[in-house]
Amino acid sequence: MNKDNNKMEEIVSLCKRRGFIFQGSEIYGGLAGTWDYGPYGVLLKENIKRAWIDRFVYGKFKMYQMDAAILMNPRAWEASGHVSGFSDPLVSCKKCKKRFRADHVDGDKCPECGGYLGEEKQFNMMFKTAIGASEDESAITYLRPETAGGMFVNFKNIVDSIHPKLPFGLAQIGKAFRNEIAPRDFIFRSREFEQMEIEFFVEEDEWEKYFEEFRIQMNEWINKDLRIEESEYSELDVPKDELAHYSKKTIDFEFEYPFGRAELYGLAYRTDFDLKSHGGASGQDLMIEDSENKKTVPHVIEPSFGMDRTVLAVLITHFMKDEMGEGGRVFLKLPVNLAPVKIAVFPLLKNKPELVEKAREIFDELRGEFKAVEFDDNGNVGKRYRRQDEIGTPFCVTVDFDTLEKDNRVTVRDRDTGSQERIEIEKLKEFFQTKFS
Ligand code: GAP
């Protein structure tokens, strides 16, 4: 996986330079597998979440949101099979002691130093933590390795409080933690990450129909909402012998990252595995009436989305270069709904109070309407364009002397084409409403 390291490096560097994503605990030398989101990274994630909720919660299917605790009773992770089965094969080098995922190395020699690799062991990826003051076994629990568990253990609460009929789904956005043996490729594989997951409960004989429905919805999400071209991703039917312990069928959506084609999302048919396991282990009735009023344990379709991989795919797909400006430029051609800032407002010169005052007035007005609007008076206009291009701001508005002395118009510059047009101040709101609709 070494296809376009340059592009990856440029994206990592843009993320740091412009305040999207920083290495976790950077001033202490970092903490492997952790990343911190800065102001624009947070805004980008918020926009992704909003778009995801619009499509999947307020979309085609009956869906309820959840926000379950990250810490759960450890019995839940025993029942789900994670305590015994959530592991990756690990090998360590006898010479340099480095650890690798066995399925990521060829042969019995260390890829780093050429030393011999030891025996393969299973390494459980759940982070253990101790609850309360005592550190005995009874107080051990885990940071959740997937958000899914919190939805299964609340199935009964939802049925008893909301009384939904099948089919319906639970949707949750939240952090998940995995002690990955080899975190790598920026935010692609980290130890702390965010997931957006759905557990969709159906009658057994309808699982194929809803699997297909979600396959289509996931394609539309990638293609229409994130604007990732069809040529940049594909579906992979996961071979039977590679399926997770709970799954009978899984499709991986794979994206063409600069380091190679790899998983972006998963769509799994989890059967009735989880509710049966939790029902058995907790002694609770995790059943619901089907369409013939018979009690049944529903089957589950699970579309699972990594938030950080979404951010990465969005950055990669919309990262552009062209010849505009001195020495060319880099820009993020983000769709308006995802752009952290929609409009930036500048006074042509920052030391002319009359320009600044007018620009502030316009900024206040636009911010009241469109929220994600920024005032920028750093450096010269060329530098401001460069910065706004790099954070993906679709439009810049400049107040100049003609605005005040001649025409009461401002210059609106389009990020993608660089074209500029003079727009009357009174018509600005309407102009942007039309652009954003
Ligand atoms: N509940 C099902 C589940 O967790 P998964 O394929 O293990 O399935 C789902 O994870 C998604 O979470 C992946 O498709 C990916 O987007 C994201 N993901 C998994 N491990 C990750 C990691 N270490 N770093 C970043 N994202 C990760």
Side-chain angles (χ1 to χ4, degrees):
M1 285 206 184
N2 220 349
K3 275 169 61 184
D4 191 352
N5 275 340
N6 227 2
K7 184 166 182 182
M8 244 352 240
E9 275 169 26
E10 283 179 289
I11 287 171
V12 174
S13 146
L14 182 147
C15 284
K16 181 172 158 69
R17 185 169 72 248
R18 296 303 185 192
F20 279 86
I21 303 166
F22 311 114
Q23 191 186 3
S25 317
E26 189 181 314
I27 62 167
Y28 289 103
L31 178 68
T34 65
W35 298 93
D36 296 342
Y37 282 77
Y40 295 120
V42 170
L43 292 173
L44 176 57
K45 280 212 285 188
E46 270 181 8
N47 294 341
I48 291 171
K49 283 177 198 172
R50 201 164 310 129
W52 188 84
I53 289 170
D54 278 352
R55 172 170 292 279
F56 291 103
V57 177
Y58 300 120
K60 204 166 171 196
F61 307 108
K62 196 173 5 162
M63 200 71 73
Y64 305 96
Q65 290 193 78
M66 282 283 321
D67 184 12
I70 288 174
L71 296 174
M72 291 170 61
N73 188 310
R75 288 173 59 208
W77 299 116
E78 283 159 23
S80 67
H82 284 83
V83 172
S84 56
F86 194 63
S87 23
D88 270 347
L90 168 85
V91 281
S92 306
C93 173
K94 290 182 175 166
K95 197 168 152 200
C96 72
K97 312 289 179 214
K98 284 225 166 90
R99 290 147 47 123
F100 304 93
R101 261 180 65 167
D103 51 341
H104 288 176
V105 288
D106 287 331
D108 55 3
K109 293 284 190 81
C110 172
E112 298 271 326
C113 74
Y116 277 104
L117 296 173
E119 232 176 76
E120 185 176 313
K121 291 182 196 146
Q122 285 302 313
F123 173 75
N124 192 298
M125 289 199 292
M126 282 199 296
F127 279 103
K128 264 189 189 170
T129 188
I131 298 259
S134 88
E135 286 206 16
D136 65 4
E137 269 299 304
S138 62
I140 292 292
T141 189
Y142 308 91
L143 301 188
R144 67 182 178 204
E146 55 174 15
T147 61
M151 294 186 267
F152 293 124
V153 302
N154 277 288
F155 177 79
K156 183 172 161 47
N157 284 332
I158 296 295
V159 170
D160 290 349
S161 59
I162 313 279
H163 310 291
K165 297 251 173 302
L166 292 177
F168 74 93
L170 296 178
Q172 175 163 245
I173 301 177
K175 290 270 183 157
F177 303 81
R178 295 183 191 177
N179 198 358
E180 295 282 356
I181 295 168
R184 64 174 173 88
D185 297 316
F186 193 31
I187 51 174
F188 173 79
R189 190 182 301 290
S190 39
R191 290 187 168 130
E192 174 175 342
F193 54 97
E194 220 172 344
Q195 289 185 318
M196 305 183 284
E197 293 200 297
I198 290 168
E199 308 305 328
F200 198 74
F201 302 100
V202 301
E203 293 188 31
E204 180 175 6
D205 61 1
E206 292 200 312
W207 79 264
E208 276 159 312
K209 172 178 153 194
Y210 286 104
F211 193 93
E212 179 59 14
E213 289 269 15
F214 277 105
R215 195 184 67 75
I216 294 168
Q217 287 289 316
M218 289 178 85
N219 270 286
E220 289 191 0
W221 161 255
I222 299 172
N223 202 232
K224 294 192 177 153
D225 299 352
L226 304 181
R227 304 271 180 90
I228 295 175
E229 302 275 337
E230 274 172 25
S231 59
E232 290 178 280
Y233 75 95
S234 52
E235 293 176 19
L236 171 82
D237 224 322
V238 177
K240 289 265 175 294
D241 58 338
E242 290 175 25
L243 290 174
H245 61 277
Y246 49 71
S247 172
K248 254 200 181 154
K249 178 178 172 69
T250 296
I251 288 176
D252 278 352
F253 289 80
E254 295 195 317
F255 178 72
E256 198 64 60
Y257 301 92
F259 48 83
R261 192 165 276 253
E263 182 182 339
L264 175 61
Y265 303 139
L267 171 63
Y269 168 42
R270 290 181 81 127
T271 69
D272 55 359
F273 171 84
D274 300 273
L275 289 183
K276 266 206 173 134
S277 308
H278 289 301
S282 64
Q284 300 281 329
D285 171 11
L286 302 187
M287 297 174 102
I288 188 169
E289 280 186 5
D290 65 13
S291 48
E292 286 160 8
N293 299 333
K294 278 203 275 232
K295 285 271 225 167
T296 182
V297 177
H299 282 233
V300 170
I301 306 299
E302 181 194 62
S304 179
F305 306 74
M307 163 59 86
D308 310 78
R309 286 190 195 175
T310 308
V311 170
L312 185 56
V314 162
L315 290 172
I316 290 166
T317 210
H318 298 297
F319 179 90
M320 305 279 159
K321 282 180 178 180
D322 67 15
E323 298 309 315
M324 200 185 291
E326 230 176 90
R329 65 163 181 165
V330 160
F331 65 113
L332 292 183
K333 201 174 174 181
L334 294 171
V336 169
N337 65 320
L338 300 185
V341 177
K342 317 289 182 214
I343 310 164
V345 182
F346 316 151
L348 180 67
L349 300 170
K350 78 171 185 188
N351 56 0
K352 296 284 173 204
E354 62 276 30
L355 292 179
V356 174
E357 194 185 330
K358 193 72 193 167
R360 282 252 167 230
E361 229 174 75
I362 293 171
F363 164 72
D364 286 342
E365 188 73 19
L366 293 177
R367 193 178 173 85
E369 179 73 20
F370 302 106
K371 310 280 185 293
V373 181
E374 199 166 81
F375 183 86
D376 193 351
D377 62 1
N378 284 315
N380 58 34
V381 170
K383 278 201 179 129
R384 294 177 208 158
Y385 282 156
R386 188 170 279 261
R387 179 169 167 275
Q388 295 298 337
D389 282 348
E390 289 196 3
I391 63 175
T393 307
F395 296 101
C396 294
V397 171
T398 306
V399 173
D400 57 23
F401 292 108
D402 280 355
T403 313
L404 304 177
E405 292 160 13
K406 266 199 188 154
D407 57 6
N408 211 30
R409 287 167 189 247
V410 287
T411 302
V412 178
R413 183 252 197 191
D414 180 295
R415 172 197 66 199
D416 301 341
T417 59
S419 68
Q420 305 193 354
E421 51 185 316
R422 298 286 290 177
I423 305 287
E424 273 177 60
I425 293 176
E426 287 76 65
K427 298 213 170 124
L428 262 186
K429 261 196 200 172
E430 200 186 315
F431 172 84
F432 287 121
Q433 270 155 355
T434 315
K435 288 280 182 194
F436 297 161
S437 64

